[in-house]
Amino acid sequence: MNMTDVLTSLSQGLAEKGYSFIRTKKDENLISEETSELCFFKPSGAVINYVIVVNAFKEPNYEERLGLLKKNILNRFKYKAKAVFLCIAVGDENTAEFSLKEGFDPQAEVITVRWVLDIKNGNLICGKDAPDKFDGIENILKNTESPKPKTVSGIFRTEKHRSAEFKKTRRVIVTYGLIALNILMFIILTLDGGSENTDTLLKYGAIYAPYIKQGEYYRLFSYMFLHIGILHIFSNMFGLFIFGSRCEKYYGYIKFGAVYFISGLGCSLLSFLFSGDAVSAGASGAVLGIMGSALAYTLINNIKMDGLDAYVYIIISMLNIGFGFVYPDVDNWGHIGGFAAGVLLGAVIGLTDKRRFKKNAEII
């Protein structure tokens, strides 16, 4: 077991587990015996796992370096989540005392797990009271192979892990809330005259140009929570679930909510301006806006959203808009307005995130 094999195998194993690389050195040399440190992170719901590996042979003051890296990482990555650090000192039997320097405190504000990998004797030594398992990383360290040396950036520069770097949260809340609200309104419509009854739709806020001209501007938003028939709400909620849940993970709650409502507004404005006096309702404009935003976001950052790339969003969006040209009862101006607004918002969010993650990749 040598340092090159350990660091290469660990980097490859962490990449497969969805970790992202944190760049701490200006040069990105080949992983070798001269590599002094490697850092990684992975968001996991309410917890962010960080892995810091220091070559004790090249960093005589490796304990101080580990502490500095922890401090700098916490200053750079301001996630509102619990930080858990796995600090690994790679060395020999003389490094073993590092694991005993501090006791393990699972209640600490920042949890730290201290391990030592004695590569001369092939031993993995865990700190006092510290867990001997951490996201399966112990198996990577115990089963080190002899892969060809690579650059860390080369290992992590894959579509899967670039996508993981952009993901901000794994929890989906706004999407489910919107689905619940749409279903609730559908039930209310059904019980109060029927969801296909024009008078009922107008009563609860469907788009109708003459009423909007009279000052009922709330209809520009209220319409997106009303649906005409069971097939209408099923298709829109299915699309919201599939595409909304993906976008929310990448955008976060506030930006995703903004995409939904602003796209819905873009839909209602074009419908008001160009669709005449037709009564219109439904979340399809907002859903198309979500797809349009995902299209722009994935193109700008060259990533996939949980397996869906820009080509998927192009095809599905074009099919939906094309459907409106075939069936006259579809409010296609609204669809176009929602999609266009979503594309613009996705471009803004995508460019912002691209700059932010580029900055995070700089030296810490």
Side-chain angles (χ1 to χ4, degrees), residues 173-191 195 201 204 221-230 232-241 256 260-261 264 281-287 290:
I173 295 177
V174 176
T175 299
Y176 296 151
L178 290 171
I179 291 174
L181 182 56
N182 274 281
I183 292 174
L184 175 61
M185 289 305 302
F186 184 78
I187 293 172
I188 292 173
L189 290 177
T190 302
L191 296 176
S195 65
L201 290 167
Y204 285 95
F221 291 97
S222 59
Y223 84 96
M224 69 181 79
F225 297 100
L226 309 177
H227 288 85
I228 307 170
I230 189 68
H232 191 206
I233 188 170
F234 175 80
S235 59
N236 279 343
M237 293 306 98
F238 180 76
L240 179 56
F241 171 75
F256 173 73
Y260 184 88
F261 284 101
S284 51
V287 174
I290 291 171

Side-chain angles (χ1 to χ4, degrees), residues 55-110:
N55 180 349
F57 299 121
K58 301 302 297 182
E59 283 281 355
N61 299 319
Y62 61 88
E63 291 185 56
E64 294 181 11
R65 183 58 182 165
L66 281 166
L68 181 61
L69 287 169
K70 281 176 57 179
K71 180 180 178 181
N72 290 341
I73 285 171
L74 289 172
N75 287 337
R76 174 61 63 83
F77 296 90
K78 299 183 183 299
Y79 286 97
K80 293 181 180 179
K82 186 75 173 178
V84 181
F85 282 86
L86 173 61
C87 297
I88 307 172
V90 183
D92 53 22
E93 63 273 9
N94 296 321
T95 316
E97 63 179 19
F98 164 74
S99 64
L100 304 175
K101 290 286 184 179
E102 298 178 7
F104 173 70
D105 182 5
Q107 303 302 322
E109 183 177 352
V110 176

Side-chain angles (χ1 to χ4, degrees), residues 182 185 189 201 204-208 212 216-228 232 236 260-272 279-287 331 333-335 337-338:
N182 274 281
M185 289 305 302
L189 290 177
L201 290 167
Y204 285 95
I207 292 177
Y208 186 51
I212 295 174
E216 296 183 7
Y217 302 117
Y218 66 88
R219 294 179 181 274
L220 297 174
F221 291 97
S222 59
Y223 84 96
M224 69 181 79
F225 297 100
L226 309 177
H227 288 85
I228 307 170
H232 191 206
N236 279 343
Y260 184 88
F261 284 101
I262 295 176
S263 296
L265 178 60
C267 169
S268 60
L269 286 174
L270 256 68
S271 177
F272 167 65
V279 175
S280 179
S284 51
V287 174
D331 185 0
W333 279 113
H335 285 183

Side-chain angles (χ1 to χ4, degrees), residues 246-266:
R246 283 175 163 81
C247 288
E248 186 174 349
K249 292 178 184 179
Y250 287 79
Y251 300 169
Y253 313 134
I254 296 176
K255 285 187 281 188
F256 173 73
V259 169
Y260 184 88
F261 284 101
I262 295 176
S263 296
L265 178 60

Side-chain angles (χ1 to χ4, degrees), residues 36 90 126 130 152 166 197 282 291 301 305 339:
S36 60
V90 183
C126 301
V152 185
F166 281 82
N197 185 299
M291 286 192 280
N301 293 299
M305 282 187 172
F339 180 74

